[in-house]
Structure formats: C-alpha cells, structure tokens
Amino acid sequence: MAKRFDTGGGPSQRQLRVGELLRRTLSEVLARGEVHDPELNAMSITVGEVTVSPDLKVATAWVMPLGGGKRDEAIAALARNRGELRRAVGREMTTKYTPDLRFRIDETFDRMDDARRLFASEEVARDTAEPEE
C-alpha cells in the first residue's frame, strides 16, 4: 500500500516543534552575545518565529531589531554571522542536523498597526457602529 502524505496547508507538528526549539535557542544565543561580532552584540534582536522546511534542512528566522529601526543593518549582521550562529545553535540543540539559517524581517507588528489604524478610521467605525433605532 502506498504511503499518502498530507499535502494540505500548514506545517507538520515536527516542523512546528523544531521551529520553536530553534526560536528559543537562537534567542538565547543572541541574548548572551555568543557571536564574536561587536556590531551584532550591540543590537537587541527579537526572534518572533522560526519556520522550517519540510525536510528540516532550512530554517527561516523572522526577526525584528528592538524599536524597529536599523532593519537592514540587523539582517546584514545576522547574515554575516550565519555560520557562527548555526554552530552556536547546533551545540545546544538535540536534533541530528542543524538547519541552514536564513533571516527575514518580521512584519507582523507593522501589519497589526495597519489593522488598528484601519479599525480606527471613521469609515470603518461608521460601518461597525450599532444601528440607531
């Protein structure tokens, strides 16, 4: 009998577990300043989420520098130290392989601000108001 794979929407439980383990470990490594790059250690970077490919070989870390400024500098510093970060994360993880790390800006907070702004607009407030009897 052929094995059927779920090609549905979201990530598997294994991808989610490995992603969360990577997120916590990467956050700790960055917080402790284990990387030998003074520019990266001077930044405070939040790791919002880590998504992992189905084969667990590639991990994308969605990051945001504190305050939201210097985004390009943060991504450049993380990319420049990708190998050292991967080794530091690999030492602390219990998985067989350490995924290749990629870094992207987490735009979740920007989208939340846009949604708040939209709901605060006069047109939306008028449409969502209780009808007067």
Side-chain angles (χ1 to χ4, degrees), residues 60-124:
T60 303
W62 299 91
V63 299
M64 177 63 74
L66 187 66
K70 298 185 179 182
R71 294 177 180 195
D72 294 335
E73 292 91 344
I75 293 295
L78 289 165
R80 189 173 53 245
N81 294 289
R82 187 173 76 185
E84 191 172 352
L85 285 167
R86 183 179 182 195
R87 282 189 294 280
V89 166
R91 281 193 299 268
E92 296 190 26
M93 289 185 52
T94 57
T95 57
K96 188 173 183 179
Y97 300 104
T98 304
D100 184 36
L101 298 174
R102 297 182 183 164
F103 300 97
R104 303 285 183 267
I105 291 295
D106 186 359
E107 296 176 347
T108 305
F109 298 111
D110 295 338
R111 284 181 285 186
M112 285 186 343
D113 288 341
D114 290 343
R116 281 192 197 110
R117 207 171 302 116
L118 181 66
F119 284 121
S121 73
E122 196 172 304
E123 295 84 20
V124 173

Side-chain angles (χ1 to χ4, degrees), residues 11-12 14-23 26 49-62 82 86 89 93 95-104:
S12 68
R14 187 173 185 196
Q15 285 173 275
L16 293 172
R17 280 195 315 268
V18 171
E20 181 58 21
L21 177 62
L22 277 166
R23 187 195 67 76
L26 186 59
E49 182 182 8
V50 176
T51 54
V52 184
S53 65
D55 63 357
L56 306 179
K57 299 285 185 185
V58 178
T60 303
W62 299 91
R82 187 173 76 185
R86 183 179 182 195
V89 166
M93 289 185 52
T95 57
K96 188 173 183 179
Y97 300 104
T98 304
D100 184 36
L101 298 174
R102 297 182 183 164
F103 300 97
R104 303 285 183 267

